[in-house]
mmCIF file of all heavy atoms in Angstrom:
data_model
loop_
_atom_site.group_PDB
_atom_site.id
_atom_site.type_symbol
_atom_site.label_atom_id
_atom_site.label_comp_id
_atom_site.label_asym_id
_atom_site.label_seq_id
_atom_site.Cartn_x
_atom_site.Cartn_y
_atom_site.Cartn_z
ATOM 1 N N ALA A 237 66.495 -2.099 -48.727
ATOM 2 C CA ALA A 237 66.193 -0.657 -48.743
ATOM 3 C C ALA A 237 65.715 -0.209 -47.356
ATOM 4 O O ALA A 237 66.077 0.875 -46.880
ATOM 5 C CB ALA A 237 65.138 -0.347 -49.803
ATOM 6 N N ILE A 238 64.933 -1.058 -46.693
ATOM 7 C CA ILE A 238 64.476 -0.748 -45.328
ATOM 8 C C ILE A 238 65.660 -0.787 -44.363
ATOM 9 O O ILE A 238 65.814 0.100 -43.509
ATOM 10 C CB ILE A 238 63.346 -1.713 -44.912
ATOM 11 C CG1 ILE A 238 62.092 -1.398 -45.729
ATOM 12 C CG2 ILE A 238 63.065 -1.628 -43.405
ATOM 13 C CD1 ILE A 238 60.977 -2.425 -45.613
ATOM 14 N N LEU A 239 66.522 -1.793 -44.513
ATOM 15 C CA LEU A 239 67.738 -1.862 -43.694
ATOM 16 C C LEU A 239 68.564 -0.583 -43.846
ATOM 17 O O LEU A 239 69.015 0.003 -42.853
ATOM 18 C CB LEU A 239 68.575 -3.082 -44.103
ATOM 19 C CG LEU A 239 70.008 -3.141 -43.547
ATOM 20 C CD1 LEU A 239 70.010 -3.235 -42.024
ATOM 21 C CD2 LEU A 239 70.774 -4.318 -44.153
ATOM 22 N N ASP A 240 68.763 -0.139 -45.081
ATOM 23 C CA ASP A 240 69.555 1.073 -45.330
ATOM 24 C C ASP A 240 68.944 2.298 -44.650
ATOM 25 O O ASP A 240 69.670 3.154 -44.135
ATOM 26 C CB ASP A 240 69.690 1.327 -46.835
ATOM 27 C CG ASP A 240 70.772 0.471 -47.491
ATOM 28 O OD1 ASP A 240 71.519 -0.201 -46.756
ATOM 29 O OD2 ASP A 240 70.871 0.492 -48.733
ATOM 30 N N LYS A 241 67.624 2.387 -44.647
ATOM 31 C CA LYS A 241 66.951 3.512 -43.985
ATOM 32 C C LYS A 241 67.274 3.513 -42.486
ATOM 33 O O LYS A 241 67.603 4.565 -41.904
ATOM 34 C CB LYS A 241 65.440 3.425 -44.212
ATOM 35 C CG LYS A 241 64.627 4.511 -43.516
ATOM 36 C CD LYS A 241 64.930 5.887 -44.083
ATOM 37 C CE LYS A 241 63.981 6.941 -43.500
ATOM 38 N NZ LYS A 241 64.419 8.309 -43.878
ATOM 39 N N PHE A 242 67.206 2.350 -41.853
ATOM 40 C CA PHE A 242 67.528 2.254 -40.426
ATOM 41 C C PHE A 242 68.988 2.644 -40.161
ATOM 42 O O PHE A 242 69.278 3.406 -39.243
ATOM 43 C CB PHE A 242 67.247 0.836 -39.901
ATOM 44 C CG PHE A 242 65.827 0.639 -39.444
ATOM 45 C CD1 PHE A 242 64.876 0.113 -40.302
ATOM 46 C CD2 PHE A 242 65.442 0.984 -38.161
ATOM 47 C CE1 PHE A 242 63.561 -0.060 -39.888
ATOM 48 C CE2 PHE A 242 64.130 0.815 -37.731
ATOM 49 C CZ PHE A 242 63.186 0.290 -38.595
ATOM 50 N N LEU A 243 69.908 2.121 -40.981
ATOM 51 C CA LEU A 243 71.338 2.399 -40.758
ATOM 52 C C LEU A 243 71.680 3.859 -41.049
ATOM 53 O O LEU A 243 72.593 4.419 -40.444
ATOM 54 C CB LEU A 243 72.198 1.465 -41.602
ATOM 55 C CG LEU A 243 72.147 -0.017 -41.203
ATOM 56 C CD1 LEU A 243 72.922 -0.867 -42.199
ATOM 57 C CD2 LEU A 243 72.685 -0.239 -39.780
ATOM 58 N N ALA A 244 70.943 4.483 -41.969
ATOM 59 C CA ALA A 244 71.164 5.905 -42.261
ATOM 60 C C ALA A 244 70.762 6.764 -41.061
ATOM 61 O O ALA A 244 71.411 7.769 -40.745
ATOM 62 C CB ALA A 244 70.378 6.316 -43.502
ATOM 63 N N GLU A 245 69.703 6.368 -40.374
ATOM 64 C CA GLU A 245 69.207 7.128 -39.217
ATOM 65 C C GLU A 245 70.005 6.801 -37.951
ATOM 66 O O GLU A 245 70.256 7.667 -37.127
ATOM 67 C CB GLU A 245 67.721 6.810 -38.974
ATOM 68 C CG GLU A 245 66.824 7.085 -40.163
ATOM 69 C CD GLU A 245 66.405 8.537 -40.269
ATOM 70 O OE1 GLU A 245 66.199 9.175 -39.229
ATOM 71 O OE2 GLU A 245 66.285 9.024 -41.409
ATOM 72 N N ASP A 246 70.351 5.506 -37.792
ATOM 73 C CA ASP A 246 71.122 5.069 -36.620
ATOM 74 C C ASP A 246 72.000 3.895 -37.048
ATOM 75 O O ASP A 246 71.501 2.794 -37.292
ATOM 76 C CB ASP A 246 70.177 4.634 -35.492
ATOM 77 C CG ASP A 246 70.949 4.035 -34.305
ATOM 78 O OD1 ASP A 246 72.204 4.013 -34.331
ATOM 79 O OD2 ASP A 246 70.293 3.574 -33.349
ATOM 80 N N PRO A 247 73.326 4.119 -37.155
ATOM 81 C CA PRO A 247 74.230 3.069 -37.662
ATOM 82 C C PRO A 247 74.222 1.787 -36.823
ATOM 83 O O PRO A 247 74.698 0.758 -37.285
ATOM 84 C CB PRO A 247 75.607 3.726 -37.617
ATOM 85 C CG PRO A 247 75.362 5.185 -37.504
ATOM 86 C CD PRO A 247 74.044 5.359 -36.828
ATOM 87 N N TYR A 248 73.684 1.872 -35.600
ATOM 88 C CA TYR A 248 73.696 0.694 -34.719
ATOM 89 C C TYR A 248 72.316 0.045 -34.618
ATOM 90 O O TYR A 248 72.064 -0.740 -33.711
ATOM 91 C CB TYR A 248 74.261 1.075 -33.346
ATOM 92 C CG TYR A 248 75.650 1.651 -33.494
ATOM 93 C CD1 TYR A 248 75.867 3.032 -33.430
ATOM 94 C CD2 TYR A 248 76.736 0.822 -33.782
ATOM 95 C CE1 TYR A 248 77.140 3.560 -33.632
ATOM 96 C CE2 TYR A 248 78.006 1.348 -33.985
ATOM 97 C CZ TYR A 248 78.200 2.713 -33.906
ATOM 98 O OH TYR A 248 79.455 3.228 -34.123
ATOM 99 N N SER A 249 71.440 0.371 -35.554
ATOM 100 C CA SER A 249 70.117 -0.276 -35.592
ATOM 101 C C SER A 249 70.263 -1.782 -35.735
ATOM 102 O O SER A 249 71.221 -2.265 -36.353
ATOM 103 C CB SER A 249 69.311 0.237 -36.793
ATOM 104 O OG SER A 249 69.039 1.606 -36.675
ATOM 105 N N ARG A 250 69.314 -2.498 -35.174
ATOM 106 C CA ARG A 250 69.235 -3.959 -35.369
ATOM 107 C C ARG A 250 68.039 -4.229 -36.278
ATOM 108 O O ARG A 250 66.921 -3.785 -35.981
ATOM 109 C CB ARG A 250 69.042 -4.676 -34.031
ATOM 110 C CG ARG A 250 70.207 -4.523 -33.087
ATOM 111 C CD ARG A 250 71.361 -5.445 -33.521
ATOM 112 N NE ARG A 250 72.619 -5.038 -32.913
ATOM 113 C CZ ARG A 250 72.954 -5.299 -31.657
ATOM 114 N NH1 ARG A 250 72.145 -5.952 -30.875
ATOM 115 N NH2 ARG A 250 74.131 -4.904 -31.208
ATOM 116 N N VAL A 251 68.287 -4.955 -37.341
ATOM 117 C CA VAL A 251 67.237 -5.159 -38.345
ATOM 118 C C VAL A 251 67.272 -6.595 -38.856
ATOM 119 O O VAL A 251 68.343 -7.118 -39.177
ATOM 120 C CB VAL A 251 67.436 -4.186 -39.549
ATOM 121 C CG1 VAL A 251 66.352 -4.393 -40.603
ATOM 122 C CG2 VAL A 251 67.461 -2.734 -39.085
ATOM 123 N N ALA A 252 66.094 -7.212 -38.904
ATOM 124 C CA ALA A 252 65.932 -8.505 -39.591
ATOM 125 C C ALA A 252 64.570 -8.446 -40.269
ATOM 126 O O ALA A 252 63.538 -8.677 -39.636
ATOM 127 C CB ALA A 252 65.992 -9.664 -38.600
ATOM 128 N N VAL A 253 64.560 -8.075 -41.538
ATOM 129 C CA VAL A 253 63.308 -7.813 -42.244
ATOM 130 C C VAL A 253 63.157 -8.745 -43.443
ATOM 131 O O VAL A 253 64.035 -8.815 -44.304
ATOM 132 C CB VAL A 253 63.240 -6.333 -42.704
ATOM 133 C CG1 VAL A 253 62.066 -6.110 -43.645
ATOM 134 C CG2 VAL A 253 63.109 -5.409 -41.500
ATOM 135 N N GLU A 254 62.041 -9.462 -43.474
ATOM 136 C CA GLU A 254 61.728 -10.386 -44.568
ATOM 137 C C GLU A 254 60.564 -9.821 -45.382
ATOM 138 O O GLU A 254 59.644 -9.224 -44.815
ATOM 139 C CB GLU A 254 61.319 -11.759 -44.016
ATOM 140 C CG GLU A 254 62.235 -12.327 -42.945
ATOM 141 C CD GLU A 254 63.615 -12.704 -43.442
ATOM 142 O OE1 GLU A 254 63.800 -12.794 -44.671
ATOM 143 O OE2 GLU A 254 64.510 -12.895 -42.608
ATOM 144 N N THR A 255 60.610 -10.045 -46.687
ATOM 145 C CA THR A 255 59.558 -9.528 -47.573
ATOM 146 C C THR A 255 58.996 -10.653 -48.430
ATOM 147 O O THR A 255 59.741 -11.536 -48.869
ATOM 148 C CB THR A 255 60.136 -8.419 -48.485
ATOM 149 O OG1 THR A 255 60.719 -7.398 -47.671
ATOM 150 C CG2 THR A 255 59.063 -7.801 -49.356
ATOM 151 N N LEU A 256 57.684 -10.612 -48.638
ATOM 152 C CA LEU A 256 57.008 -11.528 -49.571
ATOM 153 C C LEU A 256 56.299 -10.669 -50.612
ATOM 154 O O LEU A 256 55.643 -9.682 -50.258
ATOM 155 C CB LEU A 256 56.003 -12.396 -48.810
ATOM 156 C CG LEU A 256 55.121 -13.351 -49.639
ATOM 157 C CD1 LEU A 256 54.802 -14.603 -48.818
ATOM 158 C CD2 LEU A 256 53.799 -12.706 -50.074
ATOM 159 N N VAL A 257 56.466 -11.014 -51.880
ATOM 160 C CA VAL A 257 55.759 -10.289 -52.948
ATOM 161 C C VAL A 257 54.957 -11.280 -53.785
ATOM 162 O O VAL A 257 55.437 -12.363 -54.115
ATOM 163 C CB VAL A 257 56.731 -9.484 -53.854
ATOM 164 C CG1 VAL A 257 57.415 -8.386 -53.061
ATOM 165 C CG2 VAL A 257 57.774 -10.370 -54.510
ATOM 166 N N THR A 258 53.708 -10.899 -54.088
ATOM 167 C CA THR A 258 52.871 -11.731 -54.966
ATOM 168 C C THR A 258 51.917 -10.794 -55.703
ATOM 169 O O THR A 258 52.054 -9.567 -55.609
ATOM 170 C CB THR A 258 52.148 -12.837 -54.163
ATOM 171 O OG1 THR A 258 51.447 -13.683 -55.071
ATOM 172 C CG2 THR A 258 51.185 -12.273 -53.119
ATOM 173 N N THR A 259 50.956 -11.336 -56.432
ATOM 174 C CA THR A 259 50.043 -10.501 -57.212
ATOM 175 C C THR A 259 49.402 -9.424 -56.339
ATOM 176 O O THR A 259 48.776 -9.746 -55.319
ATOM 177 C CB THR A 259 48.949 -11.379 -57.854
ATOM 178 O OG1 THR A 259 49.588 -12.435 -58.579
ATOM 179 C CG2 THR A 259 48.081 -10.578 -58.806
ATOM 180 N N ASN A 260 49.588 -8.182 -56.725
ATOM 181 C CA ASN A 260 48.981 -7.026 -56.044
ATOM 182 C C ASN A 260 49.244 -6.950 -54.539
ATOM 183 O O ASN A 260 48.489 -6.316 -53.814
ATOM 184 C CB ASN A 260 47.454 -7.012 -56.280
ATOM 185 C CG ASN A 260 47.124 -6.442 -57.647
ATOM 186 O OD1 ASN A 260 47.817 -5.545 -58.124
ATOM 187 N ND2 ASN A 260 46.095 -6.970 -58.281
ATOM 188 N N SER A 261 50.297 -7.606 -54.066
ATOM 189 C CA SER A 261 50.481 -7.656 -52.618
ATOM 190 C C SER A 261 51.948 -7.756 -52.201
ATOM 191 O O SER A 261 52.720 -8.493 -52.813
ATOM 192 C CB SER A 261 49.702 -8.861 -52.075
ATOM 193 O OG SER A 261 49.694 -8.836 -50.670
ATOM 194 N N VAL A 262 52.294 -7.015 -51.143
ATOM 195 C CA VAL A 262 53.616 -7.100 -50.513
ATOM 196 C C VAL A 262 53.399 -7.239 -49.006
ATOM 197 O O VAL A 262 52.601 -6.493 -48.426
ATOM 198 C CB VAL A 262 54.449 -5.821 -50.787
ATOM 199 C CG1 VAL A 262 55.775 -5.859 -50.027
ATOM 200 C CG2 VAL A 262 54.709 -5.641 -52.277
ATOM 201 N N VAL A 263 54.070 -8.197 -48.391
ATOM 202 C CA VAL A 263 54.035 -8.337 -46.930
ATOM 203 C C VAL A 263 55.461 -8.175 -46.409
ATOM 204 O O VAL A 263 56.379 -8.834 -46.896
ATOM 205 C CB VAL A 263 53.469 -9.710 -46.493
ATOM 206 C CG1 VAL A 263 53.455 -9.821 -44.968
ATOM 207 C CG2 VAL A 263 52.072 -9.932 -47.070
ATOM 208 N N ILE A 264 55.646 -7.282 -45.435
ATOM 209 C CA ILE A 264 56.964 -7.035 -44.838
ATOM 210 C C ILE A 264 56.868 -7.393 -43.359
ATOM 211 O O ILE A 264 56.016 -6.849 -42.643
ATOM 212 C CB ILE A 264 57.381 -5.561 -45.009
ATOM 213 C CG1 ILE A 264 57.384 -5.162 -46.496
ATOM 214 C CG2 ILE A 264 58.761 -5.315 -44.404
ATOM 215 C CD1 ILE A 264 57.439 -3.667 -46.743
ATOM 216 N N ALA A 265 57.708 -8.329 -42.911
ATOM 217 C CA ALA A 265 57.659 -8.774 -41.520
ATOM 218 C C ALA A 265 59.073 -8.825 -40.961
ATOM 219 O O ALA A 265 60.052 -8.851 -41.710
ATOM 220 C CB ALA A 265 56.994 -10.147 -41.429
ATOM 221 N N GLY A 266 59.179 -8.879 -39.631
ATOM 222 C CA GLY A 266 60.501 -9.013 -39.026
ATOM 223 C C GLY A 266 60.622 -8.248 -37.732
ATOM 224 O O GLY A 266 59.628 -7.769 -37.168
ATOM 225 N N GLU A 267 61.874 -8.158 -37.263
ATOM 226 C CA GLU A 267 62.171 -7.534 -35.980
ATOM 227 C C GLU A 267 63.185 -6.416 -36.188
ATOM 228 O O GLU A 267 64.138 -6.592 -36.943
ATOM 229 C CB GLU A 267 62.776 -8.539 -34.991
ATOM 230 C CG GLU A 267 61.952 -9.796 -34.782
ATOM 231 C CD GLU A 267 62.128 -10.802 -35.916
ATOM 232 O OE1 GLU A 267 63.258 -11.095 -36.309
ATOM 233 O OE2 GLU A 267 61.085 -11.274 -36.425
ATOM 234 N N VAL A 268 62.972 -5.300 -35.490
ATOM 235 C CA VAL A 268 63.907 -4.178 -35.574
ATOM 236 C C VAL A 268 64.127 -3.576 -34.193
ATOM 237 O O VAL A 268 63.294 -3.723 -33.297
ATOM 238 C CB VAL A 268 63.397 -3.063 -36.528
ATOM 239 C CG1 VAL A 268 63.283 -3.581 -37.952
ATOM 240 C CG2 VAL A 268 62.065 -2.497 -36.047
ATOM 241 N N ARG A 269 65.284 -2.932 -34.045
ATOM 242 C CA ARG A 269 65.530 -2.073 -32.885
ATOM 243 C C ARG A 269 66.241 -0.853 -33.433
ATOM 244 O O ARG A 269 67.390 -0.943 -33.873
ATOM 245 C CB ARG A 269 66.391 -2.806 -31.856
ATOM 246 C CG ARG A 269 66.416 -2.098 -30.509
ATOM 247 C CD ARG A 269 67.007 -2.971 -29.426
ATOM 248 N NE ARG A 269 68.311 -3.497 -29.796
ATOM 249 C CZ ARG A 269 69.275 -3.791 -28.929
ATOM 250 N NH1 ARG A 269 69.087 -3.619 -27.652
ATOM 251 N NH2 ARG A 269 70.422 -4.272 -29.320
ATOM 252 N N GLY A 270 65.528 0.256 -33.496
ATOM 253 C CA GLY A 270 66.097 1.451 -34.120
ATOM 254 C C GLY A 270 65.165 2.621 -33.953
ATOM 255 O O GLY A 270 64.229 2.577 -33.148
ATOM 256 N N PRO A 271 65.388 3.688 -34.721
ATOM 257 C CA PRO A 271 64.615 4.929 -34.551
ATOM 258 C C PRO A 271 63.106 4.709 -34.687
ATOM 259 O O PRO A 271 62.650 4.066 -35.637
ATOM 260 C CB PRO A 271 65.134 5.820 -35.684
ATOM 261 C CG PRO A 271 66.458 5.261 -36.051
ATOM 262 C CD PRO A 271 66.380 3.797 -35.792
ATOM 263 N N GLN A 272 62.361 5.259 -33.721
ATOM 264 C CA GLN A 272 60.888 5.160 -33.755
ATOM 265 C C GLN A 272 60.310 5.919 -34.943
ATOM 266 O O GLN A 272 59.186 5.666 -35.363
ATOM 267 C CB GLN A 272 60.297 5.738 -32.450
ATOM 268 C CG GLN A 272 60.766 5.043 -31.177
ATOM 269 C CD GLN A 272 60.256 3.611 -31.071
ATOM 270 O OE1 GLN A 272 59.082 3.345 -31.273
ATOM 271 N NE2 GLN A 272 61.158 2.680 -30.793
ATOM 272 N N SER A 273 61.104 6.848 -35.489
ATOM 273 C CA SER A 273 60.614 7.665 -36.610
ATOM 274 C C SER A 273 60.400 6.830 -37.878
ATOM 275 O O SER A 273 59.696 7.246 -38.798
ATOM 276 C CB SER A 273 61.607 8.795 -36.908
ATOM 277 O OG SER A 273 62.892 8.253 -37.197
ATOM 278 N N ILE A 274 61.037 5.634 -37.934
ATOM 279 C CA ILE A 274 60.843 4.779 -39.114
ATOM 280 C C ILE A 274 59.605 3.917 -38.847
ATOM 281 O O ILE A 274 59.674 2.793 -38.345
ATOM 282 C CB ILE A 274 62.104 3.938 -39.407
ATOM 283 C CG1 ILE A 274 63.302 4.871 -39.585
ATOM 284 C CG2 ILE A 274 61.892 3.093 -40.673
ATOM 285 C CD1 ILE A 274 64.636 4.166 -39.729
ATOM 286 N N THR A 275 58.470 4.504 -39.169
ATOM 287 C CA THR A 275 57.167 3.890 -38.899
ATOM 288 C C THR A 275 56.797 2.901 -40.006
ATOM 289 O O THR A 275 57.490 2.807 -41.035
ATOM 290 C CB THR A 275 56.085 4.978 -38.854
ATOM 291 O OG1 THR A 275 56.090 5.650 -40.139
ATOM 292 C CG2 THR A 275 56.364 5.994 -37.753
ATOM 293 N N HIS A 276 55.690 2.208 -39.808
ATOM 294 C CA HIS A 276 55.173 1.305 -40.836
ATOM 295 C C HIS A 276 54.888 2.071 -42.129
ATOM 296 O O HIS A 276 55.108 1.552 -43.229
ATOM 297 C CB HIS A 276 53.908 0.600 -40.342
ATOM 298 C CG HIS A 276 54.202 -0.512 -39.369
ATOM 299 N ND1 HIS A 276 53.252 -1.404 -38.939
ATOM 300 C CD2 HIS A 276 55.356 -0.885 -38.758
ATOM 301 C CE1 HIS A 276 53.809 -2.273 -38.098
ATOM 302 N NE2 HIS A 276 55.079 -1.967 -37.970
ATOM 303 N N GLU A 277 54.420 3.317 -41.995
ATOM 304 C CA GLU A 277 54.126 4.141 -43.187
ATOM 305 C C GLU A 277 55.414 4.451 -43.960
ATOM 306 O O GLU A 277 55.428 4.439 -45.199
ATOM 307 C CB GLU A 277 53.425 5.452 -42.781
ATOM 308 C CG GLU A 277 52.012 5.298 -42.264
ATOM 309 C CD GLU A 277 51.933 4.662 -40.870
ATOM 310 O OE1 GLU A 277 52.913 4.784 -40.091
ATOM 311 O OE2 GLU A 277 50.895 4.043 -40.566
ATOM 312 N N VAL A 278 56.489 4.728 -43.220
ATOM 313 C CA VAL A 278 57.780 5.004 -43.870
ATOM 314 C C VAL A 278 58.256 3.756 -44.619
ATOM 315 O O VAL A 278 58.706 3.832 -45.770
ATOM 316 C CB VAL A 278 58.833 5.455 -42.821
ATOM 317 C CG1 VAL A 278 60.229 5.502 -43.445
ATOM 318 C CG2 VAL A 278 58.464 6.818 -42.241
ATOM 319 N N MET A 279 58.133 2.587 -43.975
ATOM 320 C CA MET A 279 58.550 1.336 -44.624
ATOM 321 C C MET A 279 57.710 1.056 -45.869
ATOM 322 O O MET A 279 58.230 0.587 -46.884
ATOM 323 C CB MET A 279 58.447 0.170 -43.635
ATOM 324 C CG MET A 279 59.455 0.256 -42.508
ATOM 325 S SD MET A 279 59.394 -1.223 -41.460
ATOM 326 C CE MET A 279 59.442 -0.478 -39.841
ATOM 327 N N GLU A 280 56.428 1.346 -45.795
ATOM 328 C CA GLU A 280 55.553 1.152 -46.960
ATOM 329 C C GLU A 280 56.014 2.017 -48.125
ATOM 330 O O GLU A 280 56.098 1.558 -49.271
ATOM 331 C CB GLU A 280 54.099 1.502 -46.591
ATOM 332 C CG GLU A 280 53.167 1.356 -47.781
ATOM 333 C CD GLU A 280 51.717 1.775 -47.491
ATOM 334 O OE1 GLU A 280 51.276 1.637 -46.332
ATOM 335 O OE2 GLU A 280 51.048 2.236 -48.433
ATOM 336 N N GLN A 281 56.359 3.273 -47.839
ATOM 337 C CA GLN A 281 56.808 4.179 -48.899
ATOM 338 C C GLN A 281 58.137 3.715 -49.501
ATOM 339 O O GLN A 281 58.341 3.785 -50.716
ATOM 340 C CB GLN A 281 56.949 5.610 -48.364
ATOM 341 C CG GLN A 281 57.156 6.648 -49.470
ATOM 342 C CD GLN A 281 56.060 6.631 -50.526
ATOM 343 O OE1 GLN A 281 54.872 6.660 -50.210
ATOM 344 N NE2 GLN A 281 56.441 6.564 -51.803
#
């Protein structure tokens, strides 16, 4: 879903995003090169 957001804003974005989910917790890590408008807050949403 995060990858799709980057490609929707800029089709040439570079994205490598890993996610971990456990009790009451999500961790999202990785490397991106794309629109600055896709902030950590946007990814959280």
Side-chain angles (χ1 to χ4, degrees):
I238 290 169
L239 168 63
D240 280 352
K241 177 66 173 171
F242 273 94
L243 292 174
E245 303 277 325
D246 174 3
Y248 302 102
S249 296
R250 295 283 162 78
V251 180
V253 170
E254 312 292 345
T255 304
L256 176 148
V257 295
T258 185
T259 307
N260 280 326
S261 188
V262 175
V263 180
I264 303 165
E267 306 79 48
V268 297
R269 193 167 53 151
Q272 301 293 312
S273 58
I274 303 174
T275 59
H276 284 189
E277 291 72 26
V278 170
M279 292 185 225
E280 178 184 330
Q281 191 56 50

